[in-house]
Amino acid sequence: MQPDAIGFALIYLLVPAALILLTHRSDIAARLGPIVLCYMAGLLLGLSGLQPASLQPVRDTIIEVSLGLALPLLLFAVDLRSWGHIAGSAILSMALAIVAVAVVATALYFLFHAGGTDQAEQLSGMAVGMYTGGLANMGAIKLALDIPEGRYLLFATVDTVVGAGYLLFVLTLAPVVMGRFLSPFTGSLEDQAEESNKAAPSKQNWVIQGLIAVTGSALCVGASLVLAPILPIAEPQIMVVVLLTTFGILGSLTPSLHRNVAAPHMGMYLLYVFSFSVAASMDLAQLQAVDLSVLFFVLIATFGSFALHAVLARLAGIDRDTFLITSVAAVMSPAFVPMVSRSLRNPAILMSGMATGILGFAIGNYLGISLALLLAGKG
């Protein structure tokens, strides 16, 4: 590994620790919280142009490893009994998110088609696939609809730029704005928060529990990577997330993992590393490659569906936290759910976001392809 790569790898791994210390010394930093600070600091690093292009493999590896290990560690502490009380509202909110993006994508098709955009149904189909299941679904829709490589890459690039802005909005302003528009969360927030914030054990016990937690998480990752390619249920990248979630939940049924005090602390730190590293993936070249017409389409598809989803959630009596976690699960994929759960200081909604995000994976291809074909027949 080159010296530059080693130096930046240490930056990705250690900057979150510095930002955690900052939250203990600054009231402003404490109010923002480590997740928001990590994401903002990562964006600044990414847009600074200081990272050489050769760093991408190193950064991608840190992103994948940190998230892969963090998911089981965080899920080990989940209380399945408490999730049963909020599962219904989470599934309803996800259904409303899907309705919202389908309606907005359809409206955008007619707007862009009338404006002379060729095969606007392709943009609508990709938007629905992306905002119900993520990039993997959009790739499948590209193949199914024979979308040109250039158009697909442009859409994905613009979505990366807009997605960064959307996620920053959800982490900062959205909780305040939506708190005035939607009802407060009424689940077992206090019990879950108490479980996640237990005092750390003695140093010796912490090391032992940490080793147990990391071993359990590593076994979950290893089993997921081995099984994902041989299970013909979905694409391997989707199956990895599904299996990680499944094994993490199964681990929560094991007392030694469920009561492991080190697991949530370690999972949280890996989540901070993920947040910083994924934000650092944004660079100026992506901003310069943005096509304004596609930017306009993606902006409205993202924030328009968010606004319509909020209105529908208000009518259905969905609370703020459930709305935000399912919105992120739909728009950004389950990978970003733990980040928002932590930002909201509500670990009780972690399972809801992961489960509904996987549901979005399952139906995103069908919905995106069906809508595009339907609109193509109307064009």
Side-chain angles (χ1 to χ4, degrees):
M1 187 180 289
Q2 297 296 321
D4 282 351
I6 295 174
F8 274 100
L10 290 174
I11 288 174
Y12 301 141
L13 294 172
L14 298 180
V15 164
L19 294 176
I20 291 172
L21 290 176
L22 182 61
T23 62
H24 294 297
R25 303 193 175 193
S26 166
D27 289 339
I28 296 177
R31 288 190 186 122
L32 289 173
I35 285 287
V36 175
L37 290 175
C38 286
Y39 197 74
M40 293 176 69
L43 284 175
L44 289 174
L45 176 61
L47 296 176
S48 70
L50 296 175
Q51 302 173 103
S54 60
L55 279 178
Q56 183 174 341
V58 175
R59 188 174 57 240
D60 288 348
T61 298
I62 291 175
I63 289 172
E64 293 169 3
V65 172
S66 61
L67 180 64
L69 290 173
L71 283 180
L73 287 169
L74 294 171
L75 288 169
F76 288 159
V78 164
D79 185 349
L80 288 178
R81 292 170 300 177
S82 67
W83 182 70
H85 298 299
I86 58 176
S89 62
I91 293 173
L92 174 59
S93 182
M94 186 63 173
L96 296 178
I98 292 170
V99 169
V101 71
V103 169
V104 172
T106 300
L108 284 171
Y109 163 78
F110 287 108
L111 177 64
F112 274 65
H113 179 70
T117 299
D118 186 41
Q119 295 183 297
E121 72 278 358
Q122 294 180 351
L123 298 177
S124 295
M126 285 192 291
V128 169
M130 176 67 84
Y131 303 139
T132 55
L135 189 60
N137 281 24
M138 197 175 84
I141 291 170
K142 171 199 178 300
L143 294 176
L145 300 178
D146 195 24
I147 297 173
E149 186 76 16
R151 191 173 223 191
Y152 166 79
L153 291 175
L154 177 61
F155 192 99
T157 299
V158 172
D159 174 76
T160 300
V161 175
V162 175
Y166 162 83
L167 189 58
L168 188 59
F169 170 68
V170 169
L171 292 173
T172 54
L173 295 178
V176 177
V177 175
M178 290 298 105
R180 298 176 179 175
F181 186 67
L182 300 175
S183 60
F185 180 78
T186 56
S188 54
L189 174 57
E190 293 181 1
D191 294 340
Q192 289 279 354
E194 182 181 354
E195 177 72 18
S196 295
N197 292 314
K198 286 180 180 177
S202 66
K203 185 175 181 179
Q204 182 178 0
N205 287 338
W206 207 101
V207 172
I208 295 173
Q209 291 200 31
L211 289 173
I212 293 173
V214 169
T215 301
S217 181
L219 289 174
C220 292
V221 172
S224 299
L225 292 175
V226 170
L227 293 175
I230 62 178
L231 292 177
I233 301 172
E235 293 295 320
Q237 58 265 47
I238 295 176
M239 284 307 303
V240 167
V241 176
V242 173
L243 289 170
L244 278 174
T245 303
T246 303
F247 291 139
I249 294 169
L250 291 176
S252 73
L253 302 177
T254 305
S256 61
L257 293 177
H258 181 67
R259 297 172 185 169
N260 191 301
V261 181
H265 290 285
M266 298 171 72
M268 278 297 112
Y269 188 77
L270 288 170
L271 187 60
Y272 299 149
V273 172
F274 168 79
S275 303
F276 179 76
S277 303
V278 78
S281 300
M282 175 64 66
D283 59 47
L284 290 173
Q286 290 175 319
L287 293 177
Q288 293 167 353
V290 169
D291 178 88
L292 291 181
S293 63
V294 178
L295 175 63
F296 178 70
F297 188 102
V298 174
L299 272 172
I300 296 184
T302 302
F303 290 98
S305 60
F306 178 90
L308 180 56
H309 182 198
V311 172
L312 295 175
R314 167 96 178 232
L315 295 175
I318 304 295
D319 64 88
R320 181 200 70 169
D321 290 8
T322 301
F323 161 75
L324 287 175
I325 207 69
T326 50
S327 175
V328 168
V331 174
M332 299 296 296
S333 86
F336 294 87
V337 163
M339 183 190 302
V340 176
S341 171
R342 177 62 177 175
S343 178
L344 293 171
R345 295 176 173 85
N346 186 353
I349 58 174
L350 176 60
M351 263 294 298
S352 299
M354 296 302 298
T356 53
I358 290 170
L359 176 64
F361 273 150
I363 67 175
N365 287 346
Y366 303 110
L367 188 59
I369 294 169
S370 299
L371 180 64
L373 293 176
L374 177 64
L375 293 175
K378 294 180 177 295

